[in-house]
Amino acid sequence: MTAPEAESLRVRPTPRRRSEWRTQAPVVAVVALGGALGACARYGLTLAWPTPPGAFPWATFWTNVSGCAVIGVFMVLITEVWAAHRLIRPFFGTGVLGGFTTFSTYAVDIRRLVDGGRPGLGLVYLAATLCAALAAVWLASVAARRVLIRRQR
């Protein structure tokens, strides 16, 4: 095999892979930054509003419900009102609100209630959080649309 033939068979990184990373790196960075901010805010709430053993975890409940309400408003704003910069949704929607709301703490809270001899309260918490979070995102998005329709008149 000649040197030019060997050179042509060598695998080279394609410029396309580098350009994909360049477009995705900012997204990953803003999600990480937003997630850190959201998680710190959630942690601050749990410090300010601690849950005694065996009690209903109000801090996590209201964190998840309020976060879902903000998600409802945010999604209406960025899909129906203004064309947001491409990094706004990953930063705020996925990062901040994803870090702020928490399924893992919700699951741990349920487990603690059940393990602590409060399975009924754990079941109430499980159902109440799910129903309240879904209601919050729906009501907030409906309210945001109504406010926008009134403003357009």
Side-chain angles (χ1 to χ4, degrees):
M1 180 177 293
T2 65
E5 289 173 332
E7 179 66 25
S8 69
L9 294 176
R10 188 176 355 164
V11 178
R12 295 183 189 115
T14 62
R16 184 172 179 220
R17 285 185 184 243
R18 277 190 245 145
S19 67
E20 286 176 13
W21 172 245
R22 285 183 187 158
T23 59
Q24 292 303 312
V27 175
V28 171
V30 298
V31 168
L33 176 63
L37 294 173
C40 287
R42 174 175 37 88
Y43 181 67
L45 279 175
T46 61
L47 291 178
W49 198 357
T51 302
F56 192 90
W58 288 108
T60 305
F61 176 83
W62 287 115
T63 296
N64 285 334
V65 172
S66 64
C68 285
V70 174
I71 287 169
V73 172
F74 177 66
M75 292 309 294
V76 168
L77 290 176
I78 67 167
T79 59
E80 299 176 23
V81 176
W82 49 278
H85 185 277
R86 74 179 189 92
L87 297 177
I88 295 295
R89 187 174 181 171
F91 171 74
F92 190 71
T94 305
V96 173
L97 294 174
F100 183 68
T101 59
T102 173
F103 181 78
S104 59
T105 304
Y106 166 65
V108 168
D109 287 343
I110 293 167
R111 181 65 185 217
R112 283 185 184 150
L113 288 169
V114 170
D115 289 348
R118 308 283 315 263
L121 186 58
L123 186 59
V124 167
Y125 175 55
L126 185 147
T129 299
L130 178 62
C131 292
L134 289 172
V137 74
W138 181 77
L139 288 170
S141 62
V142 167
R145 282 190 187 96
R146 287 190 180 164
V147 167
L148 293 170
I149 289 170
R150 286 185 187 150
R151 284 186 155 194
Q152 290 174 354
R153 289 181 185 173

